Amino acid sequence: MIRLYNSLSGKKEKFEPIKPKEVGMYNCGPTVYDYVHVGNLRSYICADIFRRVFEYNEYSVRQVINITDVGHLTDDGDCGEDKIEKRAQERKKTASQITIFFTEAFFQDIKALNIKTDGTLFPKATDHIKEQLELIKKLENKGYTYKASDGIYFNTSKLPNCDFFRVAGDQLKQGARVEINSEKHCPTDFALWKLSPINGKRQQEWSSPWGVGFPGWHLECSAMAIKYLGEQFDVHTGGIDHKFPHHPNEIAQSETATGKKPFVRYWLHNEFLSFEGAKMAKSVGNFVTLNDVIEKGISPQVFRYWLLGAHYRSPISFSWQALRGASNAYDKLMEHARSLCTEDLGASPDEAYIETFKEIMNDDFNTPNALALLWKLIKDKKIKKDVKFSTMEEFDKILAIGLSTPPEAEIEVPKKVADLIQKREEARMDKDWKKSDLLRDEIEELGFMIKDSPEGPKIKKMKC
Ligand code: AMP
Ligand code: ZN
């Protein structure tokens, strides 16, 4: 049984999908005007953990991560500039040059972090203008919209007792920042369609029954989630900054348009990753990308390992020192994995450990406890080497930190052995197999094992 913390109820709940053994999951995706930072990447690593846990429990997961390539303004209150248009102007590029470049960079980052993408849909907002216009039409027909001089707005004061305010809950109480846009009847109203400026032309704009313009940011998620997951689906995720206003707005417009409640059964929000005392944010400029991490000689796997040391609902503070500490621990982990990864693989995992691991992960995705269990397993003298390794491999189906494929340790090869390897390579080129076999024997006598591979010979030190 999976239990998860649902922002809608503010409680841990038993997971019950709409369709047996299937999960529809929507993860709010990146706004592709810049590289994503490691805070953004926390959201996608968390979503990947959720997916892997569902799959481990034999659910098939239909996952959607949208690509925001229009309409996200510099201010959440529907004021400000479109982040993508602004960046295109600054860089003297077209909007699509910007979005294509940073979408590709995002794909590279998530691949490097072992985030599963097989079967995942990555729909773009600009490819779904028709669906967004249809959604506005439905809301207009139901009388939930009004026109202002700068666009079409959703009228939140008409909402019946909807989940809108429940997800927003704490954020609203804490007086979340809502820029007062003078065009709004009520501060919680939000733009569905923004009109292009009267005296200027935007790069990204479309005609609509209300005038030339572009979709409001929240609209794309409702339109694409409904298109790919249906009018009601199981799980929706994002960082806690989306608890207000993005997700309540999605709920308001989706439930009003379809007439079905709830739009989403379980809302999962990851806490922030902070840096230098504040939420890591592109707008503040205190951000670190995965490339910065790699350039410091730290692997993406180490970042993933470090991040999983905190529960997704706990804040985590990024520092280079913390990451270096994690890197040392990770190296030790890999040393253990290497020493356990014998020639004699294929043992069954330890059932008791797997059972505990599953319980931990099924209890609201408790990755720090899972890592603690991993270290307990490594130190457990009662578990045989091959069983330990296959148990770790099983853990890695969810953790995905490279436990099943520990990198070879760098070994020092004496000059004499290196010369013999070279001679053997020459003999193999000449197809002199007899000589090559004799040279292999000589190499082995000196305590080194040689394994041929398409990339060349691989050398291992023999244990005895
Ligand atoms: P954005 O590209 O700004 O739409 O953000 C993409 C995802 O990253 C969203 O789910 C955000 O909630 C999440 N996010 C943004 N900043 C952080 C942060 N510092 N820590 C964790 N998640 C974040
Ligand atoms: Zn979204």
Side-chain angles (χ1 to χ4, degrees), residues 28-31 37 39-44 72 83 217 237-242 270-274 279-282:
C28 278
T31 308
H37 56 63
N40 300 129
L41 287 169
R42 182 178 200 190
S43 289
Y44 308 111
H72 197 169
K83 294 182 182 186
W217 169 47
T237 76
I240 50 159
D241 50 341
H242 284 353
N270 64 273
E271 255 290 351
F272 286 139
L273 177 148
S274 64
K279 170 201 167 187
M280 186 175 279
K282 284 174 255 186

Side-chain angles (χ1 to χ4, degrees), residues 26-29 66 217-218 220-221 236 242 246-247 250:
Y26 189 94
N27 316 119
C28 278
N66 65 299
W217 169 47
H218 316 291
E220 67 174 90
C221 287
H236 197 313
H242 284 353
H246 187 50
H247 288 162
E250 271 191 51

